[in-house]
Amino acid sequence: MKVKKFFGFFIATGLILLASSCSKEEGCHECHLSLPDGNGGEIMWEITNSSGGTIKVIDSALNSGAIRINTGGVVNTITNHGTISATGSVHSRGIISISTATIDRINNTGTIIAQGGSSSNRGIAFWNDSGTSVTNSGTIEGTGNSEGYGIRIG
């Protein structure tokens, strides 16, 4: 009986910690995959979307970004064999790298697309000089009212 109470206590404590560890005020998102680097930045090693897989976002309030690497974030490789898509009414980005974020390599054999009612849709957008190597044998596109870019730097 003591063993059941002991394990029940740990399960309940774990659920409470899990539920309270991420809040909207901290800028935490359910699709945000990262680890702190100890200097206020984030470390991310590799993101792989397998054949038949889908990573997508549909019409967030301002920016729709299926994969967004924020300031200080580091990704070695993004490999896509499936579909990465962002559909929004304001700004849509399939993959976006911002400020001091770095992505070493993007390998795409699938589809990366940004689309919507906005005039600002980019399949891949780099708002930095990360020196990313992009290898594509699939489709990268941005479609919009007046400005759609497959890949945009700056």
Side-chain angles (χ1 to χ4, degrees):
M1 189 63 153
K2 286 184 180 183
V3 172
K4 282 186 178 181
K5 285 184 181 181
F6 184 74
F7 284 117
F9 171 77
F10 278 110
I11 290 172
T13 302
L15 289 174
I16 290 168
L17 290 173
L18 180 64
S20 65
S21 67
C22 191
S23 70
K24 297 274 186 212
E25 294 79 32
E26 296 171 345
C28 204
H29 307 284
E30 61 276 358
C31 61
H32 186 79
L33 308 170
S34 67
L35 297 172
D37 70 0
N39 296 317
E42 299 173 332
I43 298 172
M44 293 184 2
W45 289 277
E46 190 163 324
I47 299 170
T48 300
N49 186 28
S50 299
S51 180
T54 301
I55 299 172
K56 72 178 179 177
V57 63
I58 299 174
D59 213 11
S60 64
L62 178 59
N63 296 310
S64 297
I67 297 177
R68 178 182 170 119
I69 313 303
N70 282 334
T71 300
V74 177
V75 174
N76 288 334
T77 305
I78 297 174
T79 302
N80 179 47
H81 300 295
T83 301
I84 297 173
S85 70
T87 303
S89 57
V90 182
H91 303 291
S92 299
R93 313 286 189 257
I95 298 173
I96 184 167
S97 178
I98 298 173
S99 189
T100 60
T102 59
I103 302 170
D104 184 54
R105 183 178 309 112
I106 298 174
N107 298 320
N108 180 52
T109 61
T111 300
I112 300 171
I113 185 169
Q115 59 194 351
S118 168
S119 63
S120 172
N121 299 306
R122 284 86 164 111
I124 300 174
F126 298 101
W127 298 132
N128 55 27
D129 183 18
S130 67
T132 303
S133 169
V134 177
T135 303
N136 179 49
S137 61
T139 302
I140 301 173
E141 66 180 332
T143 60
N145 290 336
S146 62
E147 280 187 31
Y149 295 98
I151 298 174
R152 177 159 182 189
I153 301 171

